[in-house]
Amino acid sequence: AQSVTQLGSHVSVSEGALVLLRCNYSSSVPPYLFWYVQYPNQGLQLLLKYTTGATLVKGINGFEAEFKKSETSFHLTKPSAHMSDAAEYFCAVSFNAGGTSYGKLTFGQGTILTVHP
Amino acid sequence: KAGVTQTPRYLIKTRGQQVTLSCSPISGHRSVSWYQQTPGQGLQFLFEYFSETQRNKGNFPGRFSGRQFSNSRSEMNVSTLELGDSALYLCASMEGWTRTEAFFGQGTRLTVV
């Protein structure tokens, strides 16, 4: 069975500092990996995704993530935090193994990012 | 293209009642999936419909059901509401058979009193 672990339910950084949100996954087949952001009382917005190809993926708002198969990780980074980055971030996994594996995302528990001025 | 539309945005129901939530996917998308989000359990997959057929189902009781219409719009029904059903219900729309990317609606906030 697939699972996702996000290390740290809360991360606090200063404005302008590096943002690093950690995600590890467990999957028996090659995964598709995603990072979503959620603002209060809103839906989920896709930041970036990895399906195949280049392991370093760039997303919106200056975020990027690197798929490391050997470490089963997909950590999210941003070189310089902005106040508007304060939100909850979710790592998610799905996998392309056919049948009932389609259409289902498994999410981590989420990481709340706080940005201090 | 318009995004995923969920109605209503907010709902208050009494324990024991039933409720129906609606989701209109992005035009051309044939897959709709539903998720329940609560502070304690996080985001949990309910079920997914593709071309009017349920293709995948999460671990929820039979009180949770859904359907999809020929225009890909989907409804989710919860019968005999319990206090624990209070949650944000999110709908996601996906394109194509492999359904690799999910686009989410704003959600319906259900409160059971």
Side-chain angles (χ1 to χ4, degrees), chain B residues 17-38:
Chain B
Q17 287 186 314
Q18 75 166 14
V19 67
T20 299
L21 312 182
S22 179
C23 173
S24 293
I26 293 169
S27 178
H29 288 195
R30 292 191 288 162
S31 165
V32 173
S33 52
W34 290 88
Y35 294 82
Q36 181 195 65
Q37 185 177 24
T38 59

Side-chain angles (χ1 to χ4, degrees), chain A residues 49-69:
Chain A
K49 66 177 181 180
Y50 169 80
T51 53
T52 59
T55 56
L56 181 63
V57 293
K58 296 186 184 299
I60 62 171
N61 302 337
F63 285 95
E64 64 181 40
E66 186 171 10
F67 169 57
K68 291 188 177 181
K69 184 178 179 181

Side-chain angles (χ1 to χ4, degrees), chain A residues 3-7 22-26 75 91 107-109:
Chain A
S3 65
V4 179
T5 302
Q6 290 183 238
L7 300 176
R22 299 178 187 274
C23 173
N24 288 88
Y25 69 90
S26 171
H75 301 332
C91 181
F107 287 89
Q109 286 297 322

Side-chain angles (χ1 to χ4, degrees), chain A residues 13 35 42 44 53 71 73 77 82 97 101 111-112:
Chain A
V13 300
W35 275 100
Q42 297 293 316
L44 301 174
E71 299 176 9
S73 69
T77 61
H82 192 272
S101 63
T111 298
I112 296 173

